[in-house]
Amino acid sequence: MKLAKSELQQLEEKYSRFFSLSIDLLCIASFDGYFMYLNPVWTKTLGWSTQELLAKPFIEFVHPEDRKSTILAAGKITQSIDATYFENRYLCQDGSYKWLSWNATAFIEEKLIYAVARDITLNKENEIAFQKLIRELEAFKFALNAHSLVAITDKRGRITYANDQFCQVSKYTREELLGQDHRIINSGYHPKEFFDNLWITIKKGKIWKGEIKNKAKDGTFYWVDTLITPMLDSDGNPYQYVSIRTDITQRKLSELALVERSRLSLLSAEISLALSQSGTLAEILQNCTNTISQYLKIAFVCIWTFEGQTNQPELQAGVHCTDITCSALNNSQDFPNHMVLANNIVGLMTQNHQAIFNQELTINHPELLLNSAFSIFRFSAYPLIVEQQLIGIIALFSQQLFSEPTHNLLNWIANNIAVAIDRIWAREELLSRREALLLRLASQIRSSLDLDIILETAVNEIRSLLQIDRCYFISYSAQSSQPSLTITSEARNPNSPNLATMLGTIPQQKSDCFTKILLSQELICIDDINRKPHLDDDMQELLTEFGITAQLVLPVKSNSGEIGAIVCSHCSGDRIWSNSEISLLQAVCDQLAIAIDHAQLYTQSRSATLAAQTQAEKLTTTLYQLQQTQSQLIQHEKMSSLGQLVAGVAHEINNPVNFIHGNLTYAHEYFQELLTLLHLYQQHYPNPEIEIEDFAEKIDLNFITSDLYKLLSSMEMGTTRIREIVLGLRNFSRHDEAEKKQVNIHEGIDNTLLILHHRWKNNGIGLDISIVKEYADLPLIDCYPGQLNQVFMNILTNAIDALEELKVQGKTTTKPQIRIRTEIFDQNFVVIRITDNGGGIPEEVRTRLFDPFFTTKPVGKGTGLGLSISYQIVVEKHGGILKCISEEGQGTEFWIQIPI
């Protein structure tokens, strides 16, 4: 019995040791829900003490979400003898929960449950995380398939997977895509380098991201935002590539539309700026074509205008573009050969005045193209229309289709260019007519002393030029006791026969207002008498009597004190008097003032002649003396010019002569020493004595030998200079060319500058004038060369005197300069413009420059005949124009215009 008890005790100790050393959580619980026994692993796993675990029902330690399933499992255990497996979460002392997996069996007789639990927290968390990852991947896959184009390719780029979205956007079936590479959807938009860089990136195992333009099966294009991720093997090398794309076609189209709107806005602004600039028609239109080529992708753009009489197109401006650069088309020879293909289309447009938009032209001979890379062009052309009249065409060739906004803008550009062309033509015509009018008036004033003829010409020309109803000249007379106003000349619109004449004296009661205007020399401009509330009553009555609705009054006052006015009036509604018209009429008034002075002088001369008929002999003597005096003055002027000529020649010849003379002494010494050396050689040859060697060393034979050539060259240079000066004197004087002959104007100017070289180059006060020549390609001119050279001499001498005076007075900080420009004017004239940057000429002096005996120089320095004689030579001898353009402080320019 003792032995049996001992064995039983040993067995219990053995089971107790197994119970306490187990790594699992072992327990015995009763059917009432309390633990009966727990091994130490419970405390180690959950952190509770054994007493705390035994004190409470075990269900309180179970997670609230797991209690229901735990109670069901416990009930199942108590009703079966089979082992039951379940899982739940148990509360730890720190508030966390751990997952336990249970295997439990009940001993119903003892009402005890024997259970083994194992901590599976780590595995459970991994399982939960894995399930979550699976769900997220499923969601991600769904999102990708719904919104992205997904493709998988092998390492050689062949497609092994394509989702539905890829097939839908590319228009290819999955069967058509599998086994192909991505060249099947290549649009050709991106260069080869683009894809080379892509492959370099992903082959290195790096992710590539970018935007790609692809081409669908039906030929349409679409944009995708692309992410390509390499899948790497264990060695880090890609074995396949996953491509995820997002369709961004609409965004790209919106971006391109925004860029296009911005570009078109800039283009319209630049065109507006170009059309607002000053310049010739060709310059303005060339700026427009240059601007269009900068903002639109074109092969070329050209603008033609139609010549008025023959209606033939004339190229005004054009630009041709290649892939690299754009260049201007200077003339029809630069025309692209393929423009011939568009002639029929342009001809059609000239008939219907309709624009041509994106007309496709195929070039059968690409070698004829300026840019042979393309054989299909899009041709667009727009008519330039003003008041339903076609005045020109703008045409464009492009490789791409123009959008509708571009088409609308080009229509707008064509309309604005047409208006600008019309405005420039109108301005050129007005300026031409203005110059013609002033030229005719000036010619009449110079050639006629009949004031009535001059006034009749003036009012008729002004009325015709301005297209007004009436123009007249009103004269103020203060000779009698009662001053009076008389309309002496009048021109009326021949298409308005009902216009009553206004010739005659204006009644006293209506002339007070006009008298005040003339005496105050006030310019009166009335665009509409109905909008002039403060108009004088007398003026209002006079205007109403003759049906005048708009009027412009420009007073004229001569140097002799005679007063009058040019009056322009309109009887057909309001009339806006522009600044250019007012400026023209003021210039006419200036000419009329001169005419009045000349006519008055002529009248006074006739009166004096009639009054002196009784003293005919004395008058004859006096006239003879005046002629003699005039001849002497003219001769004095010639001698003055000749004196300047001689002084210049003496100055120029003096330097080279002295140069030669100074070198002759040294030449003589060198020759003498060489002869002496040769003599010694003859005496002591062939073995030279020490005396010869010493002498050769003394005179430096090598130096003499080298310097002799230089000396002779300098002497030759001096003699050449003398010949040039003598030739210049001969060409300048041209005594053997007293008759008209064809000569080179530039030679005369150059010879004059050569004569005056000592004055403009450096005259001892550091003047050093800069001569700037801007010679045009001129033909030979039929003229009197010697006389014309005298004109150049007089004008250049005056310019040098003006610059010299500024230098002496220290009134200038800029380098003195004389600019000489020649050009063809109006195809029948040559113009020589001589400009200096001196102090300019005051207005009161400039108006008298060409008067005989008028001079601003000190006594002894000028006779006052130089410019007067120059005026006679240019105007009377050559039928040209000589005028002075100057403002005080802005320099002076003399304009010499000679018929070709």
Side-chain angles (χ1 to χ4, degrees):
M1 184 68 180
K2 243 184 212 188
L3 180 60
K5 185 176 181 181
S6 175
E7 291 177 355
L8 179 61
Q9 186 177 0
Q10 289 178 356
L11 183 61
E12 288 179 356
E13 289 176 358
K14 183 177 181 181
Y15 287 148
S16 176
R17 191 181 304 114
F18 173 77
F19 194 74
S20 61
L21 295 177
S22 174
I23 61 174
D24 292 326
L25 288 78
L26 305 179
C27 68
I28 301 174
S30 62
F31 281 7
D32 59 2
Y34 284 87
F35 287 116
M36 299 295 293
Y37 182 79
L38 299 171
N39 68 341
V41 179
W42 281 87
T43 299
K44 182 179 179 181
T45 301
L46 301 180
W48 301 106
S49 65
T50 303
Q51 289 76 14
E52 290 173 329
L53 291 170
L54 296 176
K56 296 180 180 179
F58 57 76
I59 197 64
E60 292 188 14
F61 294 94
V62 177
H63 192 284
E65 295 179 0
D66 299 337
R67 288 177 181 175
K68 183 176 181 181
S69 61
T70 301
I71 293 172
L72 291 176
K76 183 178 179 181
I77 293 170
T78 59
Q79 295 175 4
S80 174
I81 61 173
D82 296 327
T84 301
Y85 175 83
F86 63 95
E87 296 175 354
N88 61 11
R89 285 166 286 182
Y90 256 64
L91 179 64
C92 299
Q93 187 186 26
D94 60 4
S96 62
Y97 285 90
K98 289 193 174 182
W99 278 94
L100 302 179
S101 65
W102 294 87
N103 271 308
T105 304
F107 281 85
I108 299 175
E109 297 82 359
E110 298 177 2
K111 293 186 178 182
L112 293 176
I113 299 174
Y114 292 85
V116 178
R118 179 166 292 179
D119 184 0
I120 61 170
T121 303
L122 182 59
N123 294 337
K124 198 67 176 179
E125 289 176 350
N126 290 336
E127 180 184 349
I128 294 172
F130 179 74
Q131 293 298 328
K132 180 181 179 183
L133 178 60
I134 293 297
R135 290 194 298 272
E136 290 176 350
L137 289 175
E138 289 293 335
F140 181 67
K141 179 180 178 181
F142 176 79
L144 282 179
N145 287 328
H147 302 288
S148 298
L149 292 72
V150 182
I152 299 176
T153 63
D154 60 20
K155 62 181 181 181
R156 288 184 292 179
R158 290 184 304 225
I159 300 173
T160 59
Y161 170 79
N163 70 342
D164 295 338
Q165 191 72 10
F166 188 4
C167 298
Q168 180 180 348
V169 173
S170 68
K171 306 294 191 301
Y172 288 99
T173 64
R174 187 172 283 101
E175 290 73 17
E176 291 173 323
L177 290 173
L178 294 179
Q180 300 289 333
D181 59 26
H182 279 82
R183 282 193 290 267
I184 193 174
I185 55 173
N186 189 356
S187 65
Y189 176 82
H190 303 282
K192 180 177 179 296
E193 294 75 16
F194 177 85
F195 293 105
D196 289 343
N197 292 331
L198 183 153
W199 275 101
I200 289 172
T201 301
I202 61 177
K203 282 183 177 181
K204 291 180 179 180
K206 298 180 180 180
I207 295 175
W208 184 91
K209 190 177 188 306
E211 295 179 351
I212 301 178
K213 183 178 182 181
N214 289 331
K215 183 178 181 181
K217 183 178 180 180
D218 61 359
T220 59
F221 296 96
Y222 62 95
W223 281 87
V224 287
D225 189 0
T226 303
L227 177 71
I228 302 177
T229 302
M231 305 300 290
L232 308 179
D233 57 20
S234 58
D235 296 328
N237 298 318
Y239 65 91
Q240 67 178 13
Y241 303 100
V242 178
S243 174
I244 301 175
R245 303 179 180 89
T246 303
D247 189 351
I248 57 170
T249 303
Q250 292 303 318
R251 175 172 68 81
K252 292 296 289 188
L253 292 177
S254 299
E255 290 176 357
L256 293 174
L258 182 61
V259 171
E260 181 182 25
R261 285 197 298 271
S262 175
R263 186 179 71 252
L264 295 181
S265 297
L266 291 174
L267 173 58
S268 63
E270 292 284 348
I271 290 293
S272 299
L273 180 61
L275 294 178
S276 66
Q277 300 297 317
S278 59
T280 64
L281 177 62
E283 291 172 345
I284 292 174
L285 295 184
Q286 188 62 51
N287 289 337
C288 290
T289 56
N290 291 340
T291 302
I292 291 173
S293 68
Q294 292 173 8
Y295 287 94
L296 297 180
K297 188 173 180 59
I298 59 171
F300 84 91
V301 55
C302 287
I303 299 177
W304 299 270
T305 58
F306 290 106
E307 199 275 326
Q309 297 180 350
T310 62
N311 205 33
Q312 292 297 317
E314 178 182 359
L315 177 66
Q316 293 290 349
V319 172
H320 163 248
C321 294
T322 64
D323 292 337
I324 301 174
T325 183
C326 292
S327 57
L329 300 176
N330 297 321
N331 52 56
S332 58
Q333 301 300 322
D334 294 334
F335 232 67
N337 292 323
H338 56 291
M339 185 56 211
V340 177
L341 300 175
N343 282 342
N344 294 334
I345 302 176
V346 173
L348 178 63
M349 188 173 62
T350 59
Q351 298 177 8
N352 58 24
H353 293 187
Q354 296 297 318
I356 298 169
F357 183 49
N358 285 335
Q359 178 74 43
E360 183 175 300
L361 293 179
T362 302
I363 310 301
N364 295 325
H365 301 286
E367 66 275 6
L368 297 179
L369 296 175
L370 291 177
N371 183 3
S372 59
F374 297 92
S375 60
I376 298 178
F377 280 84
R378 300 289 178 172
F379 176 71
S380 299
Y382 301 86
L384 307 179
I385 299 175
V386 174
E387 297 180 354
Q388 298 182 349
Q389 179 181 359
L390 184 70
I391 65 172
I393 293 173
I394 177 172
L396 307 95
F397 269 94
S398 64
Q399 286 93 33
Q400 297 180 354
L401 291 172
F402 285 147
S403 64
E404 192 66 28
T406 302
H407 173 58
N408 295 335
L409 178 62
L410 289 172
N411 261 323
W412 177 87
I413 290 174
N415 292 335
N416 281 268
I417 288 177
V419 172
I421 293 174
D422 186 62
R423 183 179 68 248
I424 293 171
W425 282 351
R427 182 180 65 197
E428 291 176 349
E429 181 180 2
L430 178 61
L431 291 175
S432 176
R433 296 181 66 183
R434 169 181 172 169
E435 290 292 337
L437 173 58
L438 291 177
L439 186 62
R440 285 195 297 272
L441 288 176
S443 177
Q444 288 221 10
I445 291 171
R446 295 293 182 186
S447 62
S448 173
L449 293 175
D450 192 333
L451 183 60
D452 292 336
I453 294 177
I454 295 173
L455 292 177
E456 283 293 335
T457 301
V459 296
N460 277 286
E461 291 286 353
I462 293 172
R463 195 216 66 77
S464 176
L465 177 64
L466 302 185
Q467 289 297 298
I468 53 177
D469 292 329
R470 181 187 281 113
C471 179
Y472 56 89
F473 181 81
I474 186 170
S475 175
Y476 173 77
S477 175
Q479 301 297 329
S480 60
S481 58
Q482 186 67 39
S484 62
L485 292 178
T486 304
I487 297 176
T488 59
S489 302
E490 179 188 44
R492 290 174 288 167
N493 187 354
N495 297 324
S496 301
N498 297 327
L499 289 178
T501 182
M502 295 181 67
L503 289 172
T505 302
I506 299 178
Q508 175 65 32
Q509 64 273 18
K510 299 180 181 178
S511 64
D512 290 343
C513 181
F514 258 122
T515 302
K516 293 178 183 178
I517 293 172
L518 298 183
L519 293 178
S520 65
Q521 291 292 290
E522 181 183 2
L523 187 149
I524 301 298
C525 181
I526 303 174
D527 296 332
D528 187 353
I529 63 172
N530 297 322
R531 294 202 297 265
K532 201 80 172 177
H534 303 296
L535 198 62
D536 185 90
D537 293 339
D538 294 338
M539 176 70 77
Q540 181 78 39
E541 182 180 351
L542 181 64
L543 297 180
T544 304
E545 178 181 349
F546 289 96
I548 297 172
T549 58
Q551 184 160 274
L552 179 64
V553 181
L554 295 101
V556 178
K557 185 175 182 180
S558 67
N559 291 329
S560 60
E562 293 294 322
I563 297 176
I566 288 288
V567 181
C568 301
S569 59
H570 206 57
C571 304
S572 307
D574 61 344
R575 173 65 158 82
I576 306 299
W577 309 101
S578 67
N579 292 332
S580 60
E581 292 172 341
I582 295 174
S583 176
L584 167 63
L585 295 179
Q586 287 176 330
V588 172
C589 290
D590 291 340
Q591 296 291 333
L592 291 179
I594 297 174
I596 293 172
D597 281 337
H598 284 199
Q600 189 178 39
L601 287 173
Y602 177 68
T603 302
Q604 291 174 356
S605 298
R606 291 187 60 186
S607 299
T609 302
L610 293 174
Q613 283 182 352
T614 57
Q615 302 177 0
E617 184 177 355
K618 184 177 179 180
L619 178 60
T620 302
T621 304
T622 302
L623 288 175
Y624 176 75
Q625 293 175 349
L626 286 174
Q627 290 174 354
Q628 289 295 103
T629 303
Q630 183 180 17
S631 298
Q632 292 174 2
L633 287 171
I634 294 173
Q635 184 63 25
H636 178 73
E637 176 65 22
K638 291 181 178 180
M639 292 303 295
S640 176
S641 298
L642 184 58
Q644 293 175 347
L645 184 148
V646 172
V649 171
H651 183 82
E652 289 294 334
I653 293 178
N654 186 53
N655 285 339
V657 169
N658 286 341
F659 188 81
I660 297 171
H661 180 74
N663 284 323
L664 284 175
T665 301
Y666 297 104
H668 176 74
E669 293 177 1
Y670 295 162
F671 282 123
Q672 186 62 42
E673 289 169 350
L674 287 172
L675 288 174
T676 302
L677 181 61
L678 289 174
H679 180 69
L680 291 174
Y681 264 111
Q682 289 175 352
Q683 291 179 356
H684 301 284
Y685 188 85
N687 298 315
E689 297 292 338
I690 189 66
E691 183 182 359
I692 297 176
E693 294 179 352
D694 291 342
F695 187 81
E697 183 178 358
K698 178 180 178 181
I699 67 174
D700 196 352
L701 182 60
N702 292 332
F703 173 77
I704 291 175
T705 304
S706 62
D707 195 53
L708 179 60
Y709 177 79
K710 298 177 182 177
L711 184 145
L712 293 175
S713 297
S714 65
M715 293 171 66
E716 183 180 0
M717 186 183 302
T719 56
T720 301
R721 180 63 176 161
I722 294 173
R723 292 183 62 194
E724 289 177 352
I725 294 171
V726 172
L727 180 62
L729 288 171
R730 178 187 173 192
N731 290 337
F732 176 78
S733 60
R734 295 183 184 268
H735 291 301
D736 57 338
E737 298 179 4
E739 297 300 324
K740 265 192 173 183
K741 66 179 298 183
Q742 291 188 342
V743 296
N744 187 338
I745 290 291
H746 295 156
E747 289 183 0
I749 297 173
D750 292 339
N751 290 327
T752 306
L753 290 173
L754 179 63
I755 299 305
L756 296 175
H757 185 275
H758 69 288
R759 292 211 53 202
W760 60 263
K761 191 58 180 176
N762 193 342
N763 60 357
I765 63 171
L767 188 59
D768 194 17
I769 299 174
S770 172
I771 304 295
V772 179
K773 300 177 185 178
E774 297 178 0
Y775 289 168
D777 187 11
L778 301 182
L780 297 179
I781 308 301
D782 192 23
C783 64
Y784 296 98
Q787 296 182 13
L788 207 55
N789 287 344
Q790 187 177 357
V791 173
F792 298 151
M793 172 69 81
N794 290 332
I795 293 176
L796 286 170
T797 301
N798 286 340
I800 295 172
D801 289 342
L803 294 172
E804 188 178 59
E805 182 180 356
L806 281 183
K807 182 70 175 181
V808 172
Q809 296 175 357
K811 294 183 178 179
T812 180
T813 58
T814 58
K815 179 176 176 59
Q817 183 186 89
I818 296 177
R819 185 183 298 271
I820 305 173
R821 285 177 282 183
T822 62
E823 59 187 63
I824 298 294
F825 178 75
D826 200 21
Q827 297 183 353
N828 297 318
F829 295 89
V830 61
V831 172
I832 304 99
R833 299 163 65 182
I834 301 176
T835 308
D836 65 65
N837 61 348
I841 302 175
E843 181 65 20
E844 61 272 11
V845 175
R846 188 184 64 80
T847 56
R848 300 184 59 193
L849 277 181
F850 304 116
D851 293 348
F853 308 108
F854 176 78
T855 181
T856 59
K857 297 179 180 179
V859 177
K861 281 198 172 183
T863 63
L865 289 176
L867 289 179
S868 176
I869 292 173
S870 299
Y871 188 90
Q872 293 177 4
I873 292 172
V874 174
V875 178
E876 297 177 9
K877 281 280 191 179
H878 292 85
I881 295 174
L882 176 61
K883 59 184 178 180
C884 175
I885 305 167
S886 179
E887 292 185 14
E888 194 167 3
Q890 300 296 322
T892 304
E893 177 178 286
F894 279 90
W895 175 291
I896 306 168
Q897 182 174 320
I898 303 295
I900 294 178

